[in-house]
């Protein structure tokens, strides 16, 4: 059983720890203002700052939500980060009728988009919790204060990345406005300032008391990501700095997981029900914790499993039963009872693993063998590849994605602790990101159009971990962009990478199926590279982004 990290209470106890209300009264409040009174248990508020990333509110999956005005299940931090960064790209498409899904899939989002409203509110509310903790207990424990300042900086980073100019305050006062350059500078300085107070970088499993809490490596990862995208954010490239912090991570005690178990590949173990306990944990620098009994949510790894699965998909060939005719059959399961049949792969994503040949209609465990790459976890039986009908298509109008499952690596057929909610943590930062960042940064720093020998070495290490035998002596920038997708698809970051490579909004040489709402793809305005500030939040000093 996974234990929560020290001082983090089970979700059912969180409400008792708070002498406060932790929800915005509606989405028309000032962005930095959780409407909290001052009678707060400091440990409970410390917990809440972390819990905001994994829980919708104080009561678990079916309890009250911190964000009023939207269905609680849709407002989870990971879920909305995923929607905005995946459905808008060449990786994912969904056919659900939820308000906002079609606009994401066709890149027609605007300032009235309800899910962007929820994402904005989730981030600004989380920042408020951090500000409140620092106001009442920031001087009590230097390490804990640095951790909360990191969580605040992380959410400011995500706010800046998604929305450009942002509301800003380090107190519970009404926020001012920082443009993207100003936000970038503040985040950079804040991360450098808190680094000395954080605990040393150390790989951990869920049995360690500090598992789930940030350490120095988390700062290196966020600085690395900030610098890698600096040219997008500020107009000035910072490739050398991105490479510097990527190398800090690579040389740290955190390591790329290269160990599989009981038939599960080293790659797949990163997304399984015991990823916090297995060798996979050594790759994770900052997990968002999930426990099927203690921290239930519709918005973290359950969303990633259930939304990508239907009742016909097989996740584990060893999970079998004997039918009425005495024949052994495979169970159709992701390790949970939830199968929502919504998000599926766009053709372009699957094609990255089959650039020249036909894509077979086979089970996911057979697909990776056909692709010669353990990362090709797509389900093609009974599915079409082409996304013929786009948003209007059903779940089988595109290949299923069997990447996230709640089976455990401890045996051939072992599931999580709960039949509905998973134990799989969400690995927000993992070492593989540092490998690809370092490869990209040193190549761009050299002004090269193909990867340098050292960069190629790190890309090949990633491909070798996936048992891909097609190891190049050099990679083009297009191939590197594709490698980012092959390694990190459906992990909530694709939009950011496409923008950095000049493949998202604006005049681009790359279109994907249904990009811009056209079946064969079409470009859309570069102003769509940032989302609109929700209309209700454009007041006071807060300025709307161009193009909206």
């Amino acid at each position: 059983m996974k234990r929560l990290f020290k001082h983090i209470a089970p979700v059912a106890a969180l409400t008792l720890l708070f002498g406060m209300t932790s929800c915005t009264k509606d989405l028309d409040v000032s962005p930095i203002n959780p409407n909290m009174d001052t009678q707060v248990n400091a440990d409970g508020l410390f917990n809440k700052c972390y819990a905001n990333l994994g829980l919708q509110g104080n009561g678990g999956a079916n309890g009250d939500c911190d964000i009023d005005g939207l269905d609680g299940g849709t407002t989870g931090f990971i879920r909305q980060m995923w929607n905005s960064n995946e459905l808008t790209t060449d990786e994912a498409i969904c056919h659900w009728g939820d308000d906002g899904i079609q606009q994401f899939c066709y890149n027609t989002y605007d300032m009235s988009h309800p899910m962007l409203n929820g994402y904005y509110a989730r981030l600004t509310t989380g920042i408020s919790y951090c500000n409140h903790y620092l106001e009442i207990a920031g001087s009590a424990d230097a390490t804990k204060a640095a951790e909360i300042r990191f969580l605040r900086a992380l959410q400011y980073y995500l706010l800046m990345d998604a929305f450009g100019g942002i509301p800003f305050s380090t107190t519970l006062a009404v926020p001012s406005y920082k443009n993207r350059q100003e936000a970038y500078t503040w985040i950079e300085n804040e991360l450098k300032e808190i680094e000395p107070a954080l605990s040393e970088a150390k790989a951990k499993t869920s049995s360690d008391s500090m598992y789930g809490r940030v350490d120095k490596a988390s700062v290196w990862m966020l600085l690395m990501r900030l610098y890698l995208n600096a040219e997008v954010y500020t107009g000035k490239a910072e490739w050398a700095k991105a490479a510097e912090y990527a190398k800090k991570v690579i040389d740290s005690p955190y390591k790329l997981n290269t160990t599989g178990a009981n038939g599960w590949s080293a790659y797949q173990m990163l997304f399984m029900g015991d990823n916090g306990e297995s060798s996979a944990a050594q790759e994770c620098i900052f997990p968002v914790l999930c426990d099927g009994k203690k921290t239930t949510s519709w918005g973290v790894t359950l969303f990633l499993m259930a939304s990508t699965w239907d009742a016909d998909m097989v996740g584990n060939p060893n999970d079998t039963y004997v039918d009425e005719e005495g024949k052994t059959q495979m169970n159709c399961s992701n390790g949970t009872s939830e199968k929502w049949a919504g998000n599926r792969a766009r053709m372009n994503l699957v094609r990255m693993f089959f650039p020249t040949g036909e894509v077979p209609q086979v089970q996911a465990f057979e697909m990776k063998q056909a692709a010669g790459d353990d990362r090709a976890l797509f389900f093609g039986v009974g599915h079409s590849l082409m996304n013929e009908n786009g948003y209007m298509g059903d779940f089988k109008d595109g290949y299923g994605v069997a990447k996230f499952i709640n089976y455990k690596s401890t045996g051939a057929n072992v599931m999580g602790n709960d039949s509905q909610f998973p134990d799989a943590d969400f690995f927000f930062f993992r070492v593989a990101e540092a490998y690809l960042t370092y490869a990209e940064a040193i190549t761009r720093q050299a002004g090269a159009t193909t990867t340098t020998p050292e960069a190629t070495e790190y890309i090949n290490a990633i491909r070798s971990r996936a048992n891909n035998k097609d190891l190049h002596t050099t990679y083009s920038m297009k191939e590197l962009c594709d490698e980012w997708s092959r390694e990190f698809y459906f992990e909530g970051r694709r939009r950011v990478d496409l923008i950095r490579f000049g493949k998202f909004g604006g005049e681009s040489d790359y279109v994907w199926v249904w990009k811009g709402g056209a079946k064969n793809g079409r470009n859309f305005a570069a102003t769509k590279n940032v989302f609109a500030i929700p209309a209700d939040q454009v007041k006071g000093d807060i300025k709307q982004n161009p193009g909206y």
Side-chain angles (χ1 to χ4, degrees):
M1 168 70 75
K2 179 180 296 156
R3 51 180 282 187
L4 302 182
F5 58 81
K6 191 174 182 180
H7 301 310
I8 294 297
V11 64
L14 280 174
T15 303
L16 300 178
L17 288 171
F18 289 97
M20 60 184 242
T21 174
S22 60
C23 62
T24 53
K25 288 189 176 299
D26 55 47
L27 293 179
D28 192 33
V29 299
S30 298
I32 308 290
N33 180 7
N35 192 36
M36 298 182 291
D37 67 38
T38 58
Q39 301 302 311
V40 182
N41 177 289
D43 284 341
L45 186 51
F46 178 80
N47 295 346
K48 184 66 176 180
C49 292
Y50 274 100
N52 181 64
L53 304 182
L55 303 175
Q56 65 191 42
N58 291 345
N62 298 312
D64 291 338
C65 179
D66 290 347
I67 310 298
D68 289 347
L70 288 174
D71 173 75
T74 69
T75 64
F77 160 68
I78 297 299
R79 184 166 179 167
Q80 289 308 337
M81 181 185 74
W82 192 96
N83 284 335
S84 64
N85 287 326
E86 293 291 348
L87 292 178
T88 56
T89 75
D90 58 346
E91 290 188 352
I93 195 165
C94 186
H95 69 93
W96 289 341
D98 305 48
D99 192 12
I101 292 289
Q102 181 176 357
Q103 293 94 321
F104 269 152
C105 292
Y106 290 169
N107 309 102
T108 58
Y109 39 83
D110 57 22
M111 60 185 179
S112 64
H113 195 279
M115 292 185 180
L116 288 174
N117 200 358
Y119 186 35
Y120 188 94
R122 175 62 63 184
L123 292 172
T124 53
T125 299
I127 290 166
S128 296
Y129 295 142
C130 295
N131 283 341
H132 199 197
Y133 175 83
L134 293 168
E135 181 178 280
I136 68 168
S139 61
D141 184 302
T143 299
K144 291 172 74 172
E147 291 178 44
I148 300 306
R149 289 173 66 182
F150 173 85
L151 295 179
R152 180 176 65 181
L154 172 63
Q155 290 169 99
Y156 269 132
Y157 166 79
L158 294 168
L159 200 66
M160 175 202 68
D161 172 78
F163 298 99
I166 61 173
F168 180 84
S169 179
T170 56
T171 69
L172 294 178
V174 174
S176 60
Y177 175 82
K178 282 190 183 295
N179 62 35
R180 218 176 200 185
Q181 171 71 71
E182 293 168 333
Y184 176 98
T185 300
W186 181 87
I187 294 165
E188 177 186 27
N189 292 336
E190 179 77 350
L191 291 172
K192 289 183 175 180
E193 186 173 310
I194 65 175
E195 180 187 344
L198 289 168
S199 58
E200 295 300 318
K202 179 184 177 183
K204 298 173 280 288
T205 67
S206 63
S207 61
D208 296 313
S209 62
M210 291 294 288
Y211 180 76
R213 290 172 62 174
V214 299
D215 61 22
K216 284 182 169 65
S218 295
V219 166
W220 303 338
M221 289 293 293
L222 188 51
L223 280 169
M224 177 192 80
R225 193 179 287 189
L226 185 74
Y227 290 137
L228 183 65
N229 295 286
E231 191 169 26
V232 173
Y233 301 144
T234 71
K236 178 185 176 183
E238 295 285 7
W239 308 122
K241 291 180 180 178
E244 174 190 352
Y245 281 94
K247 198 64 165 62
K248 282 179 176 285
V249 174
I250 292 168
D251 293 340
S252 78
Y254 292 98
K255 299 300 177 185
L256 199 71
N257 180 45
T258 57
T259 304
N262 294 306
W264 301 106
S265 71
Y267 182 77
Q268 190 157 26
M269 287 176 67
L270 299 168
F271 314 103
M272 296 180 66
D274 61 346
N275 57 357
E277 292 78 58
S278 71
S279 61
Q282 69 182 330
E283 184 166 335
C284 179
I285 292 168
F286 180 46
V288 176
L289 302 185
C290 295
D291 185 288
K293 298 294 186 183
K294 298 179 180 179
T295 55
T296 60
S297 170
W298 303 110
V300 192
T301 51
L302 179 63
F303 168 72
L304 297 174
M305 294 173 194
S307 72
T308 58
W309 219 270
D310 73 359
D312 297 328
M313 290 174 61
V314 174
N316 182 1
N318 297 303
D319 184 2
T320 62
Y321 68 97
V322 177
D323 66 17
E324 294 178 353
E325 298 178 358
K327 297 180 180 179
T328 300
Q329 307 285 355
M330 291 180 291
N331 273 311
C332 298
S333 178
N334 55 16
T336 82
S337 59
E338 300 295 316
K339 303 172 184 67
W340 305 342
N343 296 311
R344 60 212 192 270
R346 297 207 197 210
M347 175 186 68
N348 306 78
L349 169 59
V350 182
R351 278 284 180 200
M352 289 180 197
F353 291 90
F354 297 89
T356 59
E358 290 297 316
V359 182
Q361 291 179 295
V362 296
Q363 307 273 4
F365 57 87
E366 297 170 316
M367 190 74 71
K368 64 182 183 180
Q369 296 169 358
D373 193 309
D374 290 342
R375 300 171 297 183
L377 297 168
F378 305 111
F379 188 89
V381 177
H383 288 242
S384 63
L385 178 67
M386 303 298 290
N387 311 120
E388 287 287 347
N389 299 302
Y391 167 78
M392 298 301 294
D394 63 21
F395 183 68
K396 296 188 187 302
D397 186 27
Y399 275 29
V401 176
K403 184 171 182 174
F404 296 87
I405 57 175
N406 198 37
Y407 289 93
K408 295 189 175 186
S409 63
T410 51
N413 182 22
V414 182
M415 297 188 195
N417 297 307
D418 185 82
S419 62
Q420 182 177 34
F421 293 101
D423 298 321
D425 296 330
F426 179 80
F427 285 5
F428 193 92
F429 290 134
R430 55 187 183 89
V431 172
E433 182 180 347
Y435 276 55
L436 290 182
T437 296
Y438 188 73
E440 181 181 338
I442 62 174
T443 298
R444 291 187 184 273
Q445 186 183 3
T449 57
T450 59
T451 54
T452 66
E454 187 181 13
T456 300
E457 179 183 341
Y458 281 97
I459 296 170
N460 282 340
I462 292 288
R463 292 169 70 86
S464 294
R465 189 263 291 276
N467 288 308
N468 189 317
K469 308 301 182 186
D470 183 20
L471 306 181
H472 299 191
T473 57
T474 187
Y475 294 89
S476 69
M477 294 307 287
K478 178 189 180 303
E479 289 171 326
L480 179 54
C481 183
D482 289 350
E483 197 64 27
W484 274 108
S485 185
R486 280 188 285 265
E487 179 67 24
F488 286 99
Y489 70 91
F490 273 49
E491 292 184 52
R493 64 166 293 139
R494 182 57 171 169
R495 171 188 148 273
V496 182
D497 295 327
L498 286 174
I499 291 171
R500 187 175 67 258
F501 279 88
K503 307 296 185 183
F504 195 68
E507 291 302 315
S508 170
D509 61 357
Y510 178 51
V511 294
W512 55 84
V513 60
W514 296 105
K515 180 182 182 182
K519 182 177 179 180
N520 294 323
R522 64 184 172 197
N523 287 325
F524 51 84
T527 52
K528 296 286 187 181
N529 284 352
V530 293
F531 297 119
I533 304 293
D536 289 344
Q537 305 297 351
V538 182
K539 53 191 175 184
D541 293 335
I542 310 305
K543 303 173 185 178
Q544 186 55 272
N545 291 317
Y548 294 104

